[in-house]
Each structure stands twice: as structure tokens, then as C-alpha cells.
Amino acid sequence: MDISGIISAIVIGVIIGVLGRLVIPGRQRIGILWTILVGIAAAFVGTAVASAFDVADTAGIDWIELAIQIGLAALGVVGVEQAKGRR
């Protein structure tokens, strides 16, 4: 992966993380850094899941892949929030 791929993964991860937070009702008590990290992880894992189901490369916008990534980001935000709440 070259530098432009890494930068684009970070940017997409930020967007996915924010969208994942917007899907969850109420206030989430995690910081923006956690949101970015969850979003980046969800973007990578979501792409792998979409590739496994052969829906990663479609004509136009990959809506199914995007939905998988946002769903994973929402799960990640909830998971991080619960893990931070236990302390």
C-alpha cells in the first residue's frame, strides 16, 4: 500500500467513523480519536467482509460495502463506549 492509499484509508475511516456514530441514537461518550480509529478499523474490516461476499467491486458506488463498513463502525463505537464505561 502506497502513501496515497494510506491517506485515503484514513480519510475514509474518519468518514465511516462519523457515520457510524450518527447511526447510533443518543450521545456517545468517546472522543474523536477513538471515533477515527474505530472508523479506520471498520473500513478495513468492512472491505474484507465485502470482498469475501464478492460485493466489494461493483459498478458505481459500492453501497453494500459502505453499509457493511458503517454497521461495523456503529458496533465498534458501541463496543468502545461500553469498554470505557466499565472503568
Side-chain angles (χ1 to χ4, degrees):
M1 182 176 269
D2 56 353
I3 190 71
S4 64
I6 293 170
I7 292 172
S8 64
I10 292 171
V11 170
I12 290 175
V14 169
I15 294 168
I16 296 296
V18 169
L19 289 174
R21 280 185 77 153
L22 289 175
V23 170
I24 303 168
R27 179 166 159 46
Q28 296 81 40
R29 301 192 192 289
I30 65 171
I32 190 68
L33 182 60
W34 279 111
T35 302
I36 292 170
L37 293 175
V38 166
I40 292 170
F44 281 120
V45 174
T47 299
V49 169
S51 294
F53 287 112
D54 200 28
V55 293
D57 293 321
T58 59
I61 299 174
D62 298 327
W63 293 109
I64 297 171
E65 180 180 5
L66 184 61
I68 292 169
Q69 291 171 334
I70 292 171
L72 289 172
L75 289 173
V77 167
V78 169
V80 168
E81 186 178 25
Q82 288 180 352
K84 289 185 73 157
R86 291 185 191 148
R87 290 190 220 174

